[in-house]
Amino acid sequence: MAWTHAVFVPAYAKINLTLEVLGRRPDGFHDLASVLQAISLHDTLALAPAPDGARTLVCDVPVLAGEANLALRAAHLLAAHVVAAAGSDRGVRIELRKETPVQAGLGGGSADAAAALLALARLWGVAMSAETLRELAAQLGSDVPFFLAGGTALVEGRGERVTSLPDAEPLWLVLLKPPVAVPTGAAFAALGPGDWGDGAATAEVAGAVRRGAPLPLDRLVNTFEASVRRDYPLVARAWDDLLAAGAPVVRLSGSGPTLFAPFRELSPAAAAQQRLRAAGHETWLAHSVGRAEVERALPLADTRALGGTSLRLPSPSQRGGAGGEDPRPLPEP
Ligand code: C5P
């Protein structure tokens, strides 16, 4: 039976609780050790089947619409895979509502791409191995595989080796995006061997998460911080403003420019955000998002299977979830 209306899918952003660049690889990328955490700030995708087989995307930030958009590229990539596997073509109309700032270090584009992959696998009735899904995700960007499972995860290699962890201690997060762009490639290029980490802080934080212990906030690290603070004075100034506003800990997310400050209680977080907003900073008050919350919101694929064998696409009734449609294949064009 044709499936005619849209599903809405949230695409949660991330912060890097730790981000250690371990060294340069022969392929030009860098090896990483990072503990990533999904957060409540999110974009929303609406995906509706397009019976004519066309794949299109509209976005409330018009400059982000178009073929370069990672969610649309995810649709094309999955469609190419489906064609190769089943000899049929698949259409979709994607509407993308942006909330996560772009080029911010929060993984917004990567989250959109992963959400599109998961939703379309279901919408198009594609069953594929978790490994294949991960490979498609990694082709779209280093951060994309993490967003297939969300929650808290240890990320290694170029970013494609994702080990799901239990949910880290829940935290309120004040996010502040200074008004500068830090291109990711340039941020990596600015690093030298003297900046590289050894992965010890990441191992310690991952260990605490595995034990269910409170996060050792004094062990949150980010290899990019020194160079980004040096090269972007507006980031250094925003950092000082966050500390002055009462943030006990301030860290960079990804290669920036967004800074985050974790809080264990809402009141000081809200007070800090208010002060920063009054001073003209672009801020958000968010919180960490556990894996169960991601799975409830995204009843589209068995993300638990991502650490294991085959990725099947159970129906909402099997999962006890709501808000999705039966994973019926679309009629052939
Ligand atoms: O994979 P992604 O498109 O996110 O990477 C953007 C750029 O960041 C790459 O072209 C590369 O220069 C750099 N990068 C890196 N090592 C990584 C991830 C990204 O050097 N692990």
Side-chain angles (χ1 to χ4, degrees), residues 35-124:
V35 175
L36 270 77
Q37 174 64 55
I39 64 170
S40 55
L41 182 64
H42 66 277
D43 297 335
T44 303
L45 287 80
L47 301 107
D52 62 359
R55 290 180 291 278
T56 55
L57 180 138
V58 293
C59 183
D60 62 341
V61 182
V63 69
L64 297 179
E67 291 298 319
N69 186 285
L70 216 50
L72 186 57
R73 284 171 48 202
H76 290 325
L77 190 66
L78 185 65
H81 177 79
V82 174
V83 170
S88 60
D89 205 357
R90 307 291 182 180
V92 66
R93 175 184 155 82
I94 301 174
E95 292 180 319
L96 174 58
R97 161 104 172 95
K98 287 299 290 184
E99 293 274 2
T100 306
V102 295
Q103 293 194 329
L106 298 172
S110 300
D112 297 344
L117 275 182
L118 288 169
L120 288 171
R122 179 186 173 93
L123 210 156
W124 291 339

Side-chain angles (χ1 to χ4, degrees), residues 70 73-74 77-78 81 109-118 128-149 158-162 306 311:
L70 216 50
R73 284 171 48 202
L77 190 66
L78 185 65
H81 177 79
S110 300
D112 297 344
L117 275 182
L118 288 169
M128 66 175 77
S129 72
E131 194 47 44
T132 304
L133 193 58
R134 258 198 305 262
E135 275 165 21
L136 295 180
Q139 283 178 44
L140 292 163
S142 304
D143 269 353
V144 182
F146 161 75
F147 290 104
L148 294 175
R158 199 195 99 189
E160 82 289 2
R161 270 173 36 218
V162 180
L306 287 168
L311 181 77

Side-chain angles (χ1 to χ4, degrees), residues 106-267:
L106 298 172
S110 300
D112 297 344
L117 275 182
L118 288 169
L120 288 171
R122 179 186 173 93
L123 210 156
W124 291 339
V126 181
M128 66 175 77
S129 72
E131 194 47 44
T132 304
L133 193 58
R134 258 198 305 262
E135 275 165 21
L136 295 180
Q139 283 178 44
L140 292 163
S142 304
D143 269 353
V144 182
F146 161 75
F147 290 104
L148 294 175
T152 310
L154 173 66
V155 170
E156 297 166 292
R158 199 195 99 189
E160 82 289 2
R161 270 173 36 218
V162 180
T163 307
S164 289
L165 299 173
D167 289 342
E169 176 191 5
L171 293 167
W172 295 102
L173 299 160
V174 173
L175 308 175
L176 188 163
K177 182 180 173 292
V180 291
V182 181
T184 308
F188 274 103
L191 299 176
D195 298 307
W196 293 342
D198 61 4
T202 297
E204 203 176 312
V205 170
V209 172
R210 283 197 172 100
R211 291 194 306 276
L215 277 172
L217 297 181
D218 57 334
R219 292 297 280 153
L220 306 189
V221 296
N222 184 319
T223 299
F224 290 104
E225 281 173 4
S227 60
V228 169
R229 285 180 71 162
R230 183 188 63 227
D231 296 343
Y232 301 89
L234 286 177
V235 175
R237 192 184 311 162
W239 199 297
D240 293 342
D241 288 355
L242 261 162
L243 291 172
V249 172
V250 179
R251 296 266 76 98
L252 191 71
S253 186
S255 56
T258 303
L259 302 170
F260 69 92
F263 289 84
R264 293 197 158 104
E265 290 178 16
L266 173 60
S267 297

Side-chain angles (χ1 to χ4, degrees), residues 295-296 299 315-324:
E295 288 186 349
R296 247 196 325 275
S315 70
S317 57
Q318 280 173 291
R319 296 184 49 76

